[in-house]
Amino acid sequence: MTVGVLAVGAAAPSMRVAAGDIAAAWDRKSGRGTAAICAADEDTLTLAWSAVDGALRSAGIDAANVDGIWWGTTRPPYAEGPSLAVLATAVGVGGHARGSLHAGSPHAGIDALLGAADAVAAGTVRLAIVVVSDALRPGPGSAFEARCGAGAAAIILGPPAGAPASLGLRVTRMEPYLDRYRGDDEVETRDLYDGRLFREEIFLPLVQDVAGALRSVEPRSWSLPDPDGRLGAVLAKRVGGGAAASASVYAALGDTGAASALLGAVGAFDAAGSVAIVGYGGGRATGVLVHVEAPVPGAARVADVLDGSEARPASYATVLRARGQLVPAGETVPMGVPPESAMFVRGAHEMLQLLGGRCVDCGTISTPPSIHPHCIACGGPKLEPVALAREGTVYTYVINHTMPAPFEAPLPIAVIDLDDGARVMLQVADDGTNVAIGARMRLVLRRYAHERGVPVYGFKAKPVKES
Amino acid sequence: MAWNRVAVVGAGLIKMGELFDQSYEQMASGAFEACVASVDKGFEPRQVEAAFLATQRGTLWGQEGIGGNTIPTAIGLTGIPCTRIENACPSGSDAFRVGAMAVASGVHDVVLVIGVEKMRDKSSEEGLLSRAAAGHPIFTRGETAPVLFAPFATRHMAEFGTTREMLASVAVKNHHNGKLDPYAHFQNEVTIDEVLASPAVCHPLHLLDCCPQTDGAAAVLLVSADRAHEFTDRPVFVAGFGVATDHPYLHEKDSFTEIKATPLAAERAYAMAGVGPDRIDCAEVHDCFTITEILDIEDLGFFAKGDGGRASLEGETAIGGRIAVNTSGGLLAKGHPIGATGVAQITECWWQLRGDAADRQVDTRNGYALQHNAGGRGSGVAVVNILTNRRDG
């Protein structure tokens, strides 16, 4: 049974570093393009949420109707922990959804796509979210550091009938070689092999093998891996399809790891024709064909996501701080409620799903429900849980300039009247220039903090750009 | 009247500031001794029957178990009952109210109310700033103390045209008054331009819009009015008090141009005292930030809603103005040692009503002084106490 492609989405973090700045720090001359970097409140999970949010909204799909979620990321935010469950809950997928988390190499993105496709083809899942994301953390000074970026893509798979695109031929090859490597006790990825050895004996033979198998259909567009900023062009020449569609993605965001294969392709789903996707990582290369019959919802918006005109430029020092590779001496004061607190168990759903309690008697929404057994307006005891609206208007706000680490100033905080009438007070993901009484805001998932080493996620407000 | 009349016969405090050289117990002892020394006809400490302690954040000075039992030994009265009252920034005000009720009920004749707070033994990061990340996981993080009041300033400015100059005029007046008060933390004048040019702390509030973190202690003696003559010929009486609550979190509020608990507490206190805001000669109100005082003087009924900024800028709250507000320097200049703050404000009212306020003295032609605090994470509580020097008041 073929599998339909219903919608796509993409996400990029809020900072960009010029590759040349990183190269210069290590007295190297080379360094073209930019790489996307996560701010302190972004990571692979928040990027994944954002890509899924975009895909669902493009197609008008309610997450509650999705019954499976597959996530591929080289490095999930909890090395062992509830990575997929946290993402699924924040996305709004029901608690009975199927799916799996693929990790451990950049090939994880392709694994997630194929895992979801098999479940849809088998009929065990009707609507599946495939999301691929990464925020790479290379060792400082490593040869590939300047090309390491961050980004995410999402694809909604479902029944083929009426779908604008479908999955086709796939081919995989693997060899038990090391390439990029990170041991269980290491936090930074490193290169093991000599560059020429990797290129001639590992990368090109594997990737060319699977790409060759896709050439017979003469794809309109290619997404090809480019782990070092040069191999992608070499591959494109050998495959013979002209510049790959993925080249502009790599130039803007850098290598996005497990996200790169799909992120390099989804923008090309905006017109009819075949798109060949080749992913590589961990000694494995896989090629997949996607046959596009009509523009896929969300595909035309991928270019806007990649456009970095609203992104903040970051210096190399900022990049190192954001990646936790430049840390101040001395102990930091622990902030917030320890994540082992029962409060995080009681609060998990209301925080990640953004819940309120609507008064059966007067209709007022009190939030969060766990501290509101009674209505804030009439005092009534009958409240029913509701998902809060995701957009609203600023009623009043401040811009905080004086906070201890890990908070970073300036931090706007706004009281926002959501469109369903609920009032919330949230941090704003902005430097304050777009915050004013009456400004429109949309709620987005962000990483609030590392509480004693554990990532904690919740919603922030983001100014809605007038279009 | 169902309650026995209560008199204040002694009051004292220590010089507020960063008191790195004094322990919590030494500060308490200093305030108690100042209070005892203030009693006109002398006071034997053993006459204290019960004590109420106000400390808001016992953990700020590094000891988790701070409670009422800390005080009796520190002031040489081991064995007396002593209970800690904690009710956010109005802890001292509320301890005074509870002490007054203990006397008014007839249970005790002589009660000590003491407020003590160590704010500076811990670093800023470990102290109040660490609250930035406190609370339920869904609640707003980055909420330092100014975040609890700056949203009111933003809204007050938008609705009523209140300006930063109007806010600054509160800091200018209170620093001026503080320079006249030997107990104030700050002893310097500031100008409107200096307030405006001070660093942004939490837009629209700047550094000089904010009170400092201050160590301090204050104590007052309450006795049954029919025994006041044993201690003084110039007693001050408790005329009324009121406490009120509002939603504890900011996102639960429907208004950001008033602290709703304040008018409710004031209404109760005015009714109990049988006077209105027009009879108050001077007031010590909660000015943790400049905007707070503007809200207070409206919420307490001294000025119409929205008119507080103009009134402040035009000097109507200065000593000699329509109603003198924060003659002690207020929290902005005298400092805000939280549990001690309300008790220190009572001390200022006591001095004013006895004519002992020296260069800060107000014409107390009506004979009433009002004391007010508001606080809690989202100003969820306010306390108003009204004192009088009138034997019939």
Side-chain angles (χ1 to χ4, degrees), chain A residues 333-337 343-344 346-347 350-351 354-355 367-368 370-372 376-377 394-404 407 411 413 415 423-427 437 448-449 451 456, chain B residues 123 125-126 129-144 146-155 158-159 200-204 247 249-256:
Chain A
V333 178
M335 287 285 144
V337 179
M343 208 178 244
F344 277 96
R346 291 193 297 270
E350 55 196 25
M351 179 167 61
L354 213 62
L355 298 180
T367 184
S370 64
I371 64 154
H372 287 105
I376 57 168
V394 173
Y395 183 76
T396 187
Y397 71 97
V398 307
I399 302 169
N400 202 352
H401 293 275
T402 314
M403 296 157 291
F407 298 100
L411 175 64
I413 297 174
V415 176
R423 183 168 273 187
V424 294
M425 187 166 172
L426 295 171
Q427 297 176 52
I437 289 176
Y448 278 171
E451 305 277 25
V456 173
Chain B
S123 69
E125 283 77 9
E126 286 182 282
L129 280 180
S130 67
R131 300 178 78 187
H136 187 286
I138 203 172
F139 294 146
T140 317
R141 289 154 186 254
E143 264 188 19
T144 50
V147 175
L148 306 179
F149 290 90
F152 290 85
T154 301
R155 198 71 208 178
E159 288 195 27
V201 168
C202 183
H203 174 84
H247 298 311
Y249 295 98
L250 287 178
H251 73 278
E252 299 165 329
K253 300 191 180 295
D254 55 11
S255 170
F256 283 82

Side-chain angles (χ1 to χ4, degrees), chain A residues 276-356:
Chain A
I277 303 170
V278 179
Y280 171 80
R284 299 165 69 203
T286 294
V288 181
L289 281 175
V290 175
H291 303 294
V292 180
E293 290 168 25
V296 175
R301 292 167 58 182
V302 173
D304 294 339
V305 172
L306 302 179
D307 169 39
S309 59
E310 285 177 18
R312 299 197 304 278
S315 68
Y316 184 40
T318 300
V319 172
L320 290 174
R321 281 184 58 192
R323 286 177 173 159
Q325 293 169 326
L326 181 63
V327 292
E331 292 180 23
T332 54
V333 178
M335 287 285 144
V337 179
E340 63 268 29
S341 163
M343 208 178 244
F344 277 96
V345 175
R346 291 193 297 270
H349 277 274
E350 55 196 25
M351 179 167 61
L352 290 171
Q353 291 180 287
L354 213 62
L355 298 180

